[in-house]
Amino acid sequence: MSDLPLIQADRAVPPPAATTSTGGRRRRLRLLSRTDRVVITLKVLVPLLLVTAFVWLPALATVVLSGTDWDGIGPLNEIDFVGARNYSDVVNIYPPFVPAIQHNLLWLAVLFVVATPFGMFLAVLLDKELRGSRFYQTALYLPVVLSLALIGFVWQLLYSRDQGLINAVFGSNVDWYGDSSVNIWAVMIASSWRHVGYIMLLYLAGLKGVDPSLREAAAVDGASESRTFFRVVFPVMRPINIIVLVVTVIESLRAFDLVWVVNKGRNGLELISALVTQNVVGEASRIGFGSALATIMLVVSLVFITIYLATVMRENRE
Amino acid sequence: MSRPRSQAEYLARLVPPSVAGINRRSLLAGAAGTGALLGTGLLAGCGDDSGSGGGSSKDVSLGSNQSDPKPKDVLAKVADGFKTSSGVQVAVNTVDHNTFQENINNYLQGKPDDVFTWFAGYRMRFFAQKGLASDISDVWGKISGYSDAFKKASTGDDGKQYFVPASYYPWAVFYRKSVWQQHGYQVPTTLDQFTALGAQMKKDGLTPIAFADKDGWPAMGTFDILNLRINGYQFHVDLMAGKEAWTSDKVKKVFDTWAGLLPLHQPDSLGRTWQEAAQSLQQKKSGMYLLGLFVGQQFSNDEQSDLDFFTFPEIDPSIGAKALDAPIDGYMMARKPKNEDNARKLMEYFGGKTAADITVKSDPTTLVANTGADVSGYTALQKKAAELVGSATEIAQFLDRDTRPDFASTVMIPAIQQFIKNPKDIDGLTSSIENQKKSIFTD
């Protein structure tokens, strides 16, 4: 759905000109038939309306609600505005908030430093057409396909303190999910387990697309394997690298499912997204307070989005 | 936060808890991801779209959270009974238990069914006060067989009744008779005896008190019972209603006492589910476990008769040991039922002896609230549980049913888990709770 406007982008430029009726442009407009114009207008309008209705308006509503103490009961006109109280409460008297921010950042760091490079590494290995490469590919990608229910189940079997495989095999007594200094790492391993497969597949697809003659040329020039990769293949794959980077950032910001499965994001597994859910969804209905958390999350995401866009735009200009 | 109440629900939970949780919550998780940005308006549509269709004068609709096979079946039988006695067809609209609970706000504000399942406690009174439920005092004039404690638990803040109790289960300290006989343990009646018993169990190589709080709610039971024993029922109610300060010495004493007992509790409780803790009792590794009657679900059928319990011992002689947590499930009537006459008739039927008899006959694991019911089918454990609750002077509903749900889930669960992690910093903990309480209990 989203690629349609892109395809039309070059042709979609003219329509705004239709309103500014300068002579030269009007002539260009005749290149487009009536049907073309209708189609283009629709193709711009429909996604625009959808995005506005389902992304921007709700986001705006969240920001507005974050200034209220609405509990989800009663008509909208009974909502009281409380100014920035929700924000000051979040920062000052809500104990899970600071750990949540730290955990989100930790999540980003681990995915970025460990999981993503490892996934890329596996992709490079699999690209070598090893024997049984199909099997490895499937095995590594499997975690991405599995439903959350199953993933929670699998890791519960491993991590349970009293009945889990890890403690049984090693005779250890670690409370993997309950000890708040350990559980974030335990969950991080589970999360990386999924992330690695995802990155591997993305990167493998990219590697398959690299022109083999580049490698041959490098080999003829006597470049070693690793030198070929870092000096030739890696730079060529810039679009994929950026996608991988963006995927990593997005995955770490929206990390939610695993901690929710484990203990609903409490006791050492606080994440902003889990806190938002705890407060907004369900019976709790602290909608104002939860919206304040959601707004903070939005701002944090905007920081990363801005950095990303700035980088991409600067590079495009060069 | 449903506690399983029947064999069927227990079977449904044989899958590990993490999995059992996600089936119901995966949708929620998805909704939440978008919900974070999408605000909340979109969720409004979730609960109420399948309301009662027809609304002919011969119909009455019932919104039910009894989504597990066994209770669902029982409810269907009760509904059939109503049809035979009154000729009115009940359209039962069953919604998954957790979904029902999580959407209750939107459900009641939308187009709710005429009658819906709910439980006694703060939330019931809250709906009554907000005008989301109907006064059914007249129904209470027609039904009999309820103790004063049950009537009190069905009464709103304005002194009128809004709720008809159907079933309940008590919280008590459970143990295996065989283990206790083997070691010659006696049921403790004071805190000192309780502590001494725990120490003896430790010497005998048992974990004295099985304990789990991974899901956040089971430890609330321990807080509740200590609070009821130390400060009494009225303080519990006022504290839960936000009228008492959490920084008071009374609350600190509860945490202090608990901190003294914590060494007797199973360690690393924050990674353990109640099922796992109950299994340690079942495997004779633990000596006792403070939990609801549903603990029996972790025991096989021939082990049931080995299971026994006692109510938590007295701490303050002037308060006694007569109050306890016994959450009550039952029915409420929506604010503007489409078919009010039939809805009232249905409420009366639910509160009557016939419905209770059908329930006892169809589901031998429930305790029915109506004392007039024929309970000859009860097991020894059920009989004892019914006697215990019958003799209770006051019945509390459990922390998360007796207070605002936002306070219970977003403040108390993390706070109690924090306490279990670090029982030393009681001052810091209570002042943190108090600060958050002030921000939540504003109106």
Side-chain angles (χ1 to χ4, degrees):
Chain A
M1 173 209 115
S2 59
D3 57 347
L4 281 176
L6 278 178
I7 293 168
Q8 293 292 341
D10 50 342
R11 297 218 284 162
V13 179
T19 49
T20 64
S21 52
T22 52
R25 286 187 186 173
R26 187 177 281 168
R27 217 179 64 208
R28 230 190 109 195
L29 201 61
R30 283 194 200 115
L31 292 174
L32 296 171
S33 72
R34 226 183 128 88
T35 330
D36 278 353
R37 267 179 288 161
V38 170
V39 168
I40 288 169
T41 317
L42 280 180
K43 280 184 175 174
V44 172
L45 264 187
V46 171
L48 191 71
L49 282 177
L50 286 176
V51 166
T52 314
F54 293 114
V55 178
W56 291 112
L57 286 182
L60 201 69
T62 306
V63 176
V64 172
L65 280 173
S66 73
T68 71
D69 65 352
W70 196 38
D71 62 357
I73 292 196
L76 292 176
N77 56 20
E78 277 180 14
I79 293 180
D80 294 328
F81 282 87
V82 294
R85 199 190 76 199
N86 285 327
Y87 291 94
S88 76
D89 282 357
V90 164
V91 177
N92 294 322
I93 62 170
Y94 192 49
F97 177 67
V98 174
I101 294 276
Q102 289 168 344
H103 293 153
N104 266 96
L105 291 177
L106 184 68
W107 206 279
L108 178 63
V110 169
L111 286 195
F112 186 74
V113 176
V114 182
T116 300
F118 189 61
M120 290 159 82
F121 174 68
L122 288 177
V124 171
L125 286 189
L126 286 175
D127 192 38
K128 300 268 173 258
E129 304 285 333
L130 311 167
R131 185 189 296 185
S133 131
R134 279 279 169 89
F135 171 76
Y136 292 124
Q137 226 167 296
T138 318
L140 288 168
Y141 192 66
L142 205 59
V144 189
V145 183
L146 293 183
S147 79
L148 261 178
L150 222 64
I151 288 184
F153 177 45
V154 168
W155 289 97
Q156 175 79 22
L157 289 180
L158 292 170
Y159 279 143
S160 165
R161 179 187 180 276
D162 300 345
Q163 301 161 356
L165 182 73
I166 297 181
N167 280 349
V169 169
F170 297 103
S172 53
N173 229 351
V174 182
D175 187 8
W176 294 105
Y177 273 169
D179 187 334
S180 53
S181 57
V182 178
N183 57 8
I184 188 78
W185 299 106
V187 172
M188 211 80 90
I189 289 174
S191 163
S192 301
W193 178 66
R194 275 181 101 191
H195 187 71
V196 163
Y198 192 13
I199 295 300
M200 179 211 72
L201 199 80
L202 276 180
Y203 214 67
L204 195 59
L207 283 172
K208 298 279 185 214
V210 172
D211 188 350
S213 61
L214 283 174
R215 286 190 183 156
E216 281 164 28
V220 168
D221 285 350
S224 68
E225 281 271 334
S226 57
R227 213 176 154 79
T228 311
F229 177 76
F230 284 113
R231 290 298 170 88
V232 179
V233 178
F234 190 77
V236 166
M237 291 197 22
R238 215 184 80 93
I240 299 288
N241 292 338
I242 288 180
I243 290 175
V244 164
L245 189 71
V246 173
V247 163
T248 305
V249 172
I250 291 175
E251 286 282 306
S252 58
L253 283 177
R254 61 168 208 174
F256 168 78
D257 36 25
L258 273 166
V259 298
W260 195 257
V261 174
V262 173
N263 64 6
K264 305 222 174 43
R266 297 175 175 129
N267 178 37
L269 294 185
E270 293 88 354
L271 289 177
I272 301 284
S273 52
L275 296 188
V276 172
T277 312
Q278 281 172 21
N279 280 286
V280 171
V281 180
E283 233 197 309
S285 285
R286 272 175 103 180
I287 289 172
F289 189 78
S291 299
L293 284 163
T295 307
I296 292 173
M297 192 170 152
L298 184 69
V299 171
V300 174
S301 312
L302 280 177
V303 170
F304 284 100
I305 293 169
T306 315
I307 294 174
Y308 163 68
L309 283 181
T311 320
V312 171
M313 283 173 170
R314 198 187 310 128
E315 284 179 1
N316 280 352
R317 224 177 292 138
E318 277 165 6
Chain B
M1 274 193 211
S2 69
R3 277 57 135 183
R5 292 176 28 243
S6 65
Q7 197 71 26
E9 234 182 307
Y10 158 56
L11 287 174
R13 292 195 175 205
L14 276 178
V15 253
S18 54
V19 184
I22 197 57
N23 288 334
R24 293 172 172 181
R25 294 202 166 96
S26 51
L27 269 178
L28 169 64
T34 40
L37 275 177
L38 293 186
T40 54
L42 291 179
L43 294 168
C46 297
D48 54 6
D49 47 4
S50 47
S52 64
S56 82
S57 64
K58 281 283 163 199
D59 275 1
V60 60
S61 66
L62 168 66
S64 163
N65 61 359
Q66 304 288 13
S67 49
D68 291 298
K70 185 83 184 192
K72 192 176 172 181
D73 183 49
V74 173
L75 191 59
K77 281 186 183 148
V78 175
D80 283 347
F82 181 63
K83 194 184 177 192
T84 352
S85 79
S86 67
V88 177
Q89 176 78 38
V90 185
V92 184
N93 168 24
T94 307
V95 178
D96 166 71
H97 195 104
N98 284 340
T99 313
F100 187 89
Q101 193 155 336
E102 275 156 356
N103 282 312
I104 187 77
N105 286 347
N106 296 320
Y107 171 74
L108 291 182
Q109 291 181 89
K111 279 182 262 165
D113 299 291
D114 300 344
V115 173
F116 60 95
T117 53
W118 196 242
F119 35 78
Y122 179 92
R123 204 68 179 146
M124 182 275 290
R125 299 198 299 274
F126 176 77
F127 291 145
Q129 181 215 329
K130 289 270 177 183
L132 292 171
S134 296
D135 169 17
I136 50 156
S137 304
D138 59 321
V139 173
W140 270 85
K142 293 177 204 160
I143 55 180
S144 59
Y146 292 94
S147 67
D148 275 352
F150 276 89
K151 186 163 184 182
K152 218 192 274 177
S154 309
T155 306
D157 294 330
D158 56 0
K160 293 172 183 160
Q161 282 76 44
Y162 290 90
F163 178 80
V164 168
S167 62
Y168 64 95
Y169 56 89
W171 279 62
V173 185
F174 288 83
Y175 62 91
R176 289 196 70 149
K177 284 185 215 163
S178 55
V179 174
W180 280 43
Q181 267 159 18
Q182 183 196 336
H183 295 285
Y185 298 145
Q186 296 296 320
V187 168
T189 52
T190 65
L191 185 65
D192 289 341
Q193 288 177 15
F194 185 71
T195 322
L197 174 67
Q200 183 59 41
M201 285 179 172
K202 240 181 179 171
K203 261 185 229 158
D204 296 336
L206 291 168
T207 307
I209 307 171
F211 193 45
D213 198 34
K214 178 164 177 272
D215 298 318
W217 58 263
M220 290 175 170
T222 312
F223 178 85
D224 271 354
I225 201 71
L226 289 171
N227 192 23
L228 287 171
R229 292 290 177 267
I230 293 169
N231 300 313
Y233 175 76
Q234 196 50 47
F235 183 80
H236 165 85
V237 170
D238 293 342
L239 183 68
M240 292 302 128
K243 291 178 193 156
E244 293 280 350
W246 283 81
T247 42
S248 72
D249 288 340
K250 290 182 157 188
V251 178
K252 282 181 189 164
K253 196 179 170 204
V254 173
F255 279 116
D256 264 335
T257 314
W258 194 357
L261 290 173
L262 265 186
L264 297 176
H265 285 65
Q266 210 173 358
D268 295 341
S269 56
L270 296 179
R272 191 180 295 111
T273 61
W274 72 262
Q275 287 94 337
E276 289 171 309
Q279 281 158 26
S280 82
L281 182 72
Q282 184 262 333
Q283 292 156 5
K284 307 188 178 185
K285 289 177 190 159
S286 300
M288 44 194 168
Y289 190 15
L290 171 68
L291 202 73
L293 189 63
F294 54 83
V295 70
Q297 294 164 1
Q298 296 296 320
F299 288 70
S300 69
N301 276 340
D302 43 330
E303 286 167 341
Q304 295 290 345
S305 58
D306 194 33
L307 191 62
D308 203 352
F309 66 85
F310 59 90
T311 188
F312 196 88
E314 174 181 296
I315 294 178
D316 183 342
S318 65
I319 303 242
K322 282 286 186 192
L324 79 164
D325 266 338
I328 304 170
D329 292 326
Y331 303 92
M332 294 179 80
M333 193 166 89
R335 55 177 166 178
K336 282 180 205 141
K338 280 184 216 75
N339 214 323
E340 190 162 344
D341 290 345
N342 286 345
R344 284 188 194 278
K345 267 188 231 160
L346 180 62
M347 292 300 273
E348 192 185 330
Y349 184 80
F350 277 141
K353 186 176 162 307
T354 331
D357 281 343
I358 296 176
T359 310
V360 176
K361 223 175 281 168
S362 329
D363 184 359
T365 61
T366 21
L367 293 178
V368 288
N370 194 323
T371 52
D374 174 15
V375 293
S376 53
Y378 273 8
T379 63
L381 195 71
Q382 276 176 302
K383 272 184 196 142
K384 193 173 167 185
E387 273 165 31
L388 175 68
V389 177
S391 70
T393 47
E394 290 103 355
I395 300 175
Q397 295 301 313
F398 203 70
L399 199 153
D400 63 6
R401 292 183 177 195
D402 271 335
T403 189
R404 295 176 58 121
D406 45 2
F407 179 68
S409 64
T410 67
V411 179
M412 283 316 291
I413 289 181
I416 288 181
Q417 291 189 332
Q418 179 61 33
F419 167 76
I420 293 169
K421 249 187 287 182
N422 177 15
K424 294 205 177 69
D425 185 21
I426 292 172
D427 286 339
L429 183 77
T430 49
S431 64
S432 163
I433 298 176
E434 179 66 14
N435 284 336
Q436 295 183 74
K437 182 208 86 180
K438 279 185 188 146
S439 140
I440 288 181
F441 286 87
T442 47
D443 39 32

